[in-house]
Amino acid sequence: MWKGRFECETSDLVRRLGESISFDWRLYAHDIRGSIAHSRALLRAGVLNAEEQASIETGLLAIRDEIERGEFEFSMDLEDVHMNIEAALTSRIGAAGAKLHTARSRNDQVALDVRLFCREETGIIEAALRSLQRALVEVGMRYPDTVLPGYTHLQRGQPVLFAHHLLAYVEMLDRDAGRIADCRRRLNVMPLGSGALAGSTIVVDREAVARELEFDAVTRNSMDAVSDRDFVAELLFGLGLLGVHLSRLAEDLILWATAEFGFVTLSDAHTTGSSLMPQKKNPDVAELTRGKTGRLIGNLMSILTILKGLPLTYNRDLQEDKEPLFDSVDTIKLLLPVIAEMVAAMEVNEARTSAAAADPFLLATDIADYLVLRGVPFRQAHEVVGKLTAFSLKEGRGFPDLSLEEFQSFSEVFAPDVVALFNVRNALEARQAIGAPSPNGVAAELARWCSALA
Ligand code: ARG
């Protein structure tokens, strides 16, 4: 695009190495929006006259429409989106186009574009995330009384309501949404005017540009502004952790859909068959969610590694920020709606969940609590119930099938009212603390989420 001091053409291999247009073309709308705001600032600074500014603005909008219609031809020789658009503008409108890059560098230009991109995408992702939360809450409301075992170490622990299990993910996703919103708040600062690294001798009103582009503030250090990609790293962390949460949900669903658990049936629309085994119904959506989390984590590692050795200020390494960013954004936008759809369409096999939740050993802690409420120190109660469990296992009879005398042979504190414990409903009712899975507590949480997400 410019010859200037160079005496020979760039090598073809270098062109291929250095081009970013194959992926950064998607910044075009942000690039054009930023350039229009910059042209208005140049007008106010007296660098452009009204006619020049108007022809820049009209020219840029025409280019944007052309790109949108798929009619614009990007050229690899022009390296990136900024130069492709500027070259097209100048070839169309002439001299005025060549003035647009006054008091601006691609370094502050790309920093602006990437911030605008992140700002827009975080809004879209947050909305998709809220829809997934809504789907989880709705399924919880569809099965308000369903109980299943809660697990630790993937061993049955204590009974919980199915809705309580789903609401655990709603909480995780809420923190994810909070992290993404927080990231957006921090990135919504306007870098244009930082120039290559030291601003410009031609001074434009940066605050007016910020207002026009709906930024909350302007960056306060030009060197920081052109070399900072903290916001990309933050966003990739936020999306990575969101992916980790989605992957854990996927893993629960994969387990629950096995013949061994049989707790849920995923819809045919969200499963696939096997090319060999006709009986198979595979939970591919959940597996791909789990698998794609690998790239989300990898992308975070990429940006952190790109940044770690860079001296101030801009270095070309920074061009490598875009592919991991785009990939994580695209991956999350692909996953969130399909998981929401899968969750909304799944069916719970209550015969299986309640059979599993009827495992009397799930109430062992409640028996220990019974003793505690009658004055036995917890450690001693734990010991008693441990022995009782071993006895029950050896006998092949669950707690409800043991006689009162047998109970009393382990502790004299047991009384006839111990039988009231062998009821999952009672066990849940008793868990009245905030955050515990009592039926009224869970119903209140479902209602709270339902209105919060409305
Ligand atoms: N395509 C470049 C990037 O994404 C734009 C900035 C280029 N700046 C430079 N000094 N070569 O980082």
Side-chain angles (χ1 to χ4, degrees):
M1 181 166 174
W2 57 78
K3 276 250 157 45
R5 59 162 292 178
F6 292 89
E7 288 174 3
C8 75
E9 293 292 323
T10 313
S11 141
D12 278 342
L13 291 172
V14 173
R15 269 208 286 254
R16 263 175 57 199
L17 173 69
E19 69 85 19
S20 55
I21 189 62
S22 56
F23 49 88
D24 71 8
W25 66 269
R26 55 191 281 189
L27 295 174
Y28 73 90
H30 304 301
D31 195 70
I32 287 173
R33 188 175 174 205
S35 286
I36 290 174
H38 183 62
S39 73
R40 293 182 186 163
L42 292 178
L43 170 67
R44 287 188 296 267
V47 175
L48 296 174
N49 64 36
E51 202 183 315
E52 290 170 325
Q53 193 281 324
S55 77
I56 286 174
E57 189 158 334
T58 323
L60 286 171
L61 291 175
I63 291 171
R64 194 190 63 193
D65 291 346
E66 231 170 86
I67 298 173
E68 238 131 63
R69 288 197 305 271
E71 287 164 12
F72 187 88
E73 215 165 300
F74 289 108
S75 155
M76 204 180 89
D77 291 341
L78 292 165
E79 202 175 288
D80 60 21
V81 65
H82 323 294
M83 297 213 284
N84 267 271
I85 291 173
E86 193 192 330
L89 179 72
T90 307
S91 85
R92 292 168 194 205
I93 70 166
K99 290 187 178 178
L100 174 62
H101 211 53
T102 310
R104 186 176 72 169
S105 156
R106 279 185 296 155
N107 297 353
D108 56 349
Q109 188 176 359
V110 72
L112 174 77
D113 294 3
V114 178
R115 281 171 191 259
L116 287 171
F117 172 85
C118 291
R119 189 174 76 185
E120 177 169 66
E121 296 295 339
T122 50
I124 298 170
I125 289 168
E126 244 190 284
L129 213 157
R130 296 300 181 195
S131 298
L132 173 56
Q133 284 182 302
R134 227 170 278 126
L136 288 163
V137 170
E138 275 160 22
V139 177
M141 294 186 121
R142 208 163 350 117
Y143 297 98
D145 302 318
T146 303
V147 279
L148 79 179
Y151 295 77
T152 60
H153 314 270
L154 202 52
Q155 305 287 320
R156 285 179 183 170
Q158 295 172 330
V160 292
L161 283 170
F162 172 68
H164 192 62
H165 194 126
L166 295 185
L167 285 173
Y169 286 103
V170 176
E171 294 285 341
M172 289 177 233
L173 295 173
D174 196 54
R175 292 192 296 276
D176 291 323
R179 261 182 290 272
I180 291 167
D182 191 43
C183 171
R184 183 175 49 233
R185 191 176 56 73
R186 225 179 334 274
L187 69 79
N188 198 28
V189 181
M190 211 286 300
L192 212 59
S194 302
L197 81 155
S200 170
T201 55
I202 298 158
V203 179
V204 299
D205 182 352
R206 300 186 62 217
E207 273 164 341
V209 176
R211 275 193 300 278
E212 177 168 347
L213 296 173
E214 296 170 278
F215 281 98
D216 298 325
V218 295
T219 55
R220 310 298 302 194
N221 182 298
S222 60
M223 296 177 78
D224 177 40
V226 293
S227 57
D228 162 35
R229 295 294 183 275
D230 300 12
F231 59 97
V232 175
E234 276 192 55
L235 182 54
L236 292 188
F237 172 73
L239 299 182
L241 188 52
L242 167 57
V244 167
H245 290 152
L246 298 177
S247 183
R248 296 186 72 174
L249 171 61
E251 178 59 15
D252 273 343
L253 295 178
I254 290 166
L255 283 172
W256 288 354
T258 58
E260 285 72 11
F261 277 78
F263 289 175
V264 300
T265 306
L266 299 173
S267 120
D268 287 358
H270 305 112
T271 48
T272 60
S274 154
S275 56
L276 181 78
M277 301 167 280
Q279 85 285 10
K280 291 293 288 292
K281 186 168 159 180
N282 298 326
D284 294 32
V285 171
E287 292 170 278
L288 285 166
T289 299
R290 197 176 52 186
K292 280 182 188 290
T293 301
R295 30 202 305 170
L296 298 174
I297 295 168
N299 290 335
L300 171 62
M301 292 310 122
S302 291
I303 187 67
L304 291 173
T305 311
I306 290 163
L307 294 175
K308 75 174 274 296
L310 296 187
L312 290 185
T313 55
Y314 180 85
N315 298 270
R316 193 62 182 276
D317 316 42
L318 289 173
Q319 181 165 294
E320 292 290 311
D321 63 351
K322 285 168 213 60
E323 284 165 294
L325 172 63
F326 294 165
D327 185 63
S328 284
V329 164
D330 292 344
T331 300
I332 281 292
K333 282 165 73 180
L334 192 62
L335 287 177
L336 286 170
V338 69
I339 299 170
E341 200 181 84
M342 170 177 65
V343 164
M346 77 185 180
E347 272 171 27
V348 176
N349 309 323
E350 293 191 74
R352 293 297 299 259
T353 53
S354 52
D359 177 347
F361 289 123
L362 292 176
L363 300 173
T365 329
D366 294 47
I367 301 176
D369 288 349
Y370 170 96
L371 294 173
V372 167
L373 290 172
R374 282 154 190 79
V376 181
F378 181 75
R379 282 294 158 220
Q380 216 172 305
H382 186 281
E383 185 67 20
V384 166
V385 181
K387 293 216 166 86
L388 192 64
T389 303
F391 175 75
S392 158
L393 279 169
K394 201 164 104 242
E395 288 284 301
R397 288 182 291 137
F399 296 139
D401 303 321
L402 302 181
S403 68
L404 180 60
E405 290 67 37
E406 284 170 319
F407 268 98
Q408 286 172 333
S409 71
F410 291 90
S411 165
E412 282 166 6
V413 178
F414 285 118
D417 63 353
V418 72
V419 298
L421 291 179
F422 307 131
N423 175 313
V424 176
R425 210 67 213 168
N426 293 348
L428 290 171
E429 298 285 2
R431 293 174 151 75
Q432 284 293 331
I434 295 172
S438 69
N440 57 325
V442 172
E445 282 302 298
L446 283 170
R448 182 175 72 80
W449 277 114
C450 205
S451 65
L453 294 166

